[in-house]
Amino acid sequence: MSTATERPKVSLRQFWADLPTPGRWLLSTVAIQTLGRGLTLPFTVIYIHEVRGISLGTAGTLLALIAVVALCVTGPGGSLTDRVGARRMLIAGTSAQLLGCTVLAFATSVPMFVVGFVLLGFNFGVSWPAFNALIASVVSGPLRQQYFGVNFALVNLGIGLGGVIGGLFVDVREPMTFTLIFLADAVSMLVPLGLLLGPLRSVSGRAERSADTPTVGYLDLLRRPPVLWLTFITFLCTFIGYGQIESGFPAFSRQVGEVSTQVIGFAFAINTLVIVALQFTVLKAVTGRRRTRGLLVMVVLWVLSWLILSAAGIGPAVLAAVAVVTFMGVFGLGEIFMQIAIPAITNDMADDHVRGRANAVNAGAFQGGAILGPIVSGFLLQHDLSGVFIVAMVGGLVVMAGAIVVLERHLTPTENGVTAG
């Protein structure tokens, strides 16, 4: 990796001291508000298929519906973020999430799941660009990359703890246990709502526009080669990564590896432990170096993780459990590199008055991958094509590596994290 002449020093104490007050508020409650998400994330596909008796293929399509709705509202959501402010959009999205989780808690049929997932999709579609824009509006320079990294660690801490609790609590023979974790997810949304309506009520997350500020649309953004390549990379990251963590990974682990829900919950805990324990180590290693090189490290780690998971289907039960848990550990290490690089590149390329739309483009790519991911994994695993599933994941990562190399050629040193912004 290339370095700048002077790389900024990274420490948790200095980072916290440098944060403005709104940034501290945002970070202080992240783990708590994501705990509810962790309770449901590893077990949603199991809930739909094994508890409510809906086919695996339909379950994958239902999960993809979240991303379809999110993709539909991401564009308008990004524009509204720039016009009315990130805080207002976050309030709308979080309220939808609360209602959607409540519906899912009592869903017993496909139409009810559709309603719940539409509400969740609305939240994901408007909240991603709004949240990143809100962060970028209160944190700038090298501190911004550090913020995205620390925020990611705290998000995973909450999700991981939720996964452990959920794995110990839920039982496919007791539908009420799944109802309770979705209700807990709904209640956890009261934390960000209280934060946005209270301590952060004066932070709008909207840049002031002057009369001569040029109008920039989504097509204008996508005509920029670095934006286009980063969008493609984000799509692949989701299709191969996050689009499978909620669907392909637990389905493969249950059907091919035949592991228990407790093992899956423990795997999510290991994922969290790796991210939380190694976040600052990786952050120190990549600060001042090319972010694209970190993304290439991520590709190598993810290739290794999928090859490890493939062993879950060819050995005894103990080997399957080890493979499932190890997959999530190695995958989590790769996630750190991705979550440090992609949000930072996105926001360093964007001007303040188009930050909502720039993050919406990135969110749209994420949602696109999340649409295709569950559909592909659901189809392949329902038709006993687990080998093809693994090959597809590894092949996609090879394509991603080539795209990252091209992206690097189009980024300025500052956008790529080589010099202080």
Side-chain angles (χ1 to χ4, degrees):
M1 292 182 180
S2 300
T3 63
T5 54
E6 293 186 8
R7 293 176 56 212
K9 294 182 179 180
V10 179
S11 72
L12 184 57
R13 178 179 297 179
Q14 188 61 48
F15 166 75
W16 186 257
D18 292 341
L19 273 183
T21 300
R24 294 180 184 179
W25 273 114
L26 283 169
L27 273 183
S28 62
T29 59
V30 167
I32 299 174
Q33 69 191 54
T34 54
L35 181 67
R37 179 64 175 152
L39 287 171
T40 60
L41 177 64
F43 311 110
T44 303
V45 69
I46 296 171
Y47 174 50
I48 300 170
H49 177 52
E50 298 188 34
V51 177
R52 298 309 189 193
I54 297 171
S55 73
L56 190 59
T58 302
T61 302
L62 285 169
L63 288 172
L65 179 62
I66 299 175
V68 172
V69 174
L71 184 61
C72 291
V73 303
T74 291
S79 297
L80 285 171
T81 295
D82 289 329
R83 293 177 182 176
V84 306
R87 188 183 73 92
R88 291 180 179 177
M89 297 306 296
L90 281 173
I91 291 173
T94 304
S95 299
Q97 176 82 6
L98 189 156
L99 182 57
C101 288
T102 303
V103 171
L104 291 176
F106 301 99
T108 56
S109 63
V110 171
M112 290 183 69
F113 277 109
V114 168
V115 172
F117 287 140
V118 165
L119 289 167
L120 265 60
F122 175 82
N123 171 58
F124 294 154
V126 302
S127 291
W128 183 329
F131 184 72
N132 282 350
L134 190 66
I135 291 174
S137 71
V138 299
V139 183
S140 60
L143 196 64
R144 184 181 291 162
Q145 173 173 293
Q146 296 172 27
Y147 190 104
F148 281 122
V150 174
N151 181 78
F152 176 63
L154 291 174
V155 166
N156 278 271
L157 177 61
I159 290 177
L161 289 175
V164 172
I165 296 170
L168 295 173
F169 180 72
V170 297
D171 186 341
V172 294
R173 297 165 298 184
E174 296 290 340
M176 181 56 67
T177 60
F178 287 87
T179 296
L180 290 175
I181 62 172
F182 276 98
L183 287 177
D185 194 358
V187 170
S188 71
M189 292 300 102
L190 296 175
V191 175
L193 281 174
L195 188 66
L196 293 166
L197 294 172
L200 295 179
R201 62 185 179 276
S202 62
V203 179
S204 69
R206 179 172 61 89
E208 296 298 329
R209 293 173 58 92
S210 61
D212 58 350
T213 301
T215 300
V216 179
Y218 285 108
L219 288 180
D220 297 313
L221 288 173
L222 289 170
R223 288 191 185 103
R224 292 191 59 196
V227 174
L228 191 59
W229 282 107
L230 184 64
T231 300
F232 178 57
I233 291 166
T234 302
F235 168 81
L236 289 177
C237 280
T238 313
F239 172 73
I240 297 163
Y242 293 114
Q244 305 304 333
I245 292 305
E246 192 171 356
S247 57
F249 163 68
F252 185 97
S253 300
R254 289 283 288 170
Q255 294 208 335
V256 180
E258 298 182 346
V259 302
S260 66
T261 55
Q262 285 75 20
V263 169
I264 295 174
F266 184 68
F268 274 83
I270 292 298
N271 177 269
T272 298
L273 180 63
V274 168
I275 291 170
V276 173
L278 298 181
Q279 181 69 51
F280 252 86
T281 300
V282 174
L283 193 54
K284 288 178 182 179
V286 302
T287 297
R289 294 189 167 104
R290 296 185 184 185
R291 293 162 178 162
T292 47
R293 303 299 171 86
L295 289 174
L296 288 174
V297 173
M298 175 208 72
V299 169
V300 173
L301 290 169
W302 281 9
V303 167
L304 179 60
S305 69
W306 282 110
L307 293 177
I308 290 171
L309 184 64
S310 67
I314 59 175
V318 173
L319 176 61
V322 171
V324 167
V325 172
T326 305
F327 164 83
M328 285 297 278
V330 178
F331 183 88
L333 182 56
E335 287 181 84
I336 299 176
F337 288 92
M338 184 195 76
Q339 289 291 351
I340 289 174
I342 290 182
I345 294 174
T346 299
N347 284 279
D348 283 351
M349 287 193 301
D351 296 326
D352 289 341
H353 64 281
V354 296
R355 199 170 301 284
R357 277 161 283 185
N359 281 287
V361 168
N362 189 258
F366 188 98
Q367 305 302 347
I371 292 169
L372 190 60
I375 293 175
V376 170
S377 61
F379 175 84
L380 292 177
L381 296 176
Q382 184 173 337
H383 291 84
D384 298 322
L385 297 173
S386 57
V388 176
F389 171 65
I390 297 294
V391 170
M393 299 302 104
V394 174
L397 286 165
V398 172
V399 173
M400 189 194 302
I404 293 169
V405 171
V406 176
L407 171 65
E408 182 174 299
R409 300 171 186 167
H410 291 286
L411 294 176
T412 66
T414 299
E415 291 167 348
N416 209 2
V418 177
T419 59

